[in-house]
């Protein structure tokens, strides 16, 4: 069983930056695929970015060039650096993991954190 705990969310003005983190523990292997996802009430959860065991990344078109996903394997921690934030980036941000990266779709992931709120005004 994998435990994922997100942190670092908050409120920021449009154009600003924010970084969120996700600490993994339990039955977790550092080469697992990890990803960031977000959800607004009333809408489906969407993929933001994923990173595989070799550091290869995939981003949603809506965040390309603004967000950067990274991870610290020694700390089993996933990060998402968000720059140039827009009001439409407001959402609950979740991290998730699975053995291999096959898709940025949330449906492909089964282990989820509790989420951290990001609000852009």
């Amino acid at each position: 069983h994998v435990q994922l705990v997100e942190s670092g969310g908050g409120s920021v003005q449009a154009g600003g930056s924010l970084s969120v983190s996700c600490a993994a523990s339990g039955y977790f292997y550092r080469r697992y695929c990890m990803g960031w996802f977000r959800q607004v009430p009333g809408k489906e959860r969407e993929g933001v970015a994923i990173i595989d065991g070799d550091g290869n990344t995939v981003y949603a078109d809506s965040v390309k060039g603004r967000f950067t996903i990274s991870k610290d394997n020694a700390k089993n921690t996933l990060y998402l650096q968000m720059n140039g934030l827009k009001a439409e980036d407001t959402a609950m941000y979740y991290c998730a993991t699975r053995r291999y990266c096959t898709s940025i779709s949330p449906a492909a992931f089964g282990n989820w954190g509790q989420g951290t709120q990001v609000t852009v005004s």
Side-chain angles (χ1 to χ4, degrees):
H1 182 63
V2 178
Q3 291 85 42
L4 301 171
V5 179
E6 299 95 335
S7 61
S11 297
V12 64
Q13 291 188 337
S17 299
L18 201 62
S19 180
V20 291
S21 303
C22 172
S25 61
Y27 189 77
F28 177 79
Y29 180 50
R30 63 186 59 182
R31 288 189 58 81
Y32 280 178
C33 172
M34 297 190 77
W36 285 103
F37 305 82
R38 64 188 183 187
Q39 189 169 22
V40 175
K43 297 185 69 175
E44 291 189 355
R45 191 169 298 186
E46 64 175 357
V48 175
I50 59 174
I51 184 168
D52 70 11
D54 292 321
N56 299 305
T57 58
V58 176
Y59 292 93
D61 288 343
S62 59
V63 305
K64 281 181 182 176
R66 299 189 298 122
F67 290 12
T68 302
I69 188 172
S70 62
K71 60 179 180 174
D72 185 331
N73 289 332
K75 296 181 179 180
N76 285 347
T77 300
L78 179 72
Y79 303 98
L80 184 69
Q81 177 65 42
M82 301 178 285
N83 299 326
L85 283 161
K86 306 175 182 179
E88 51 263 44
D89 294 319
T90 296
M92 184 71 79
Y93 282 71
Y94 299 88
C95 69
T97 185
R98 60 167 294 163
R99 188 165 186 178
Y100 299 112
C101 279
T102 58
S103 170
I104 198 173
S105 168
F109 289 75
N111 295 296
W112 294 89
Q114 83 290 346
T116 185
Q117 179 68 37
V118 172
T119 302
V120 185
S121 59

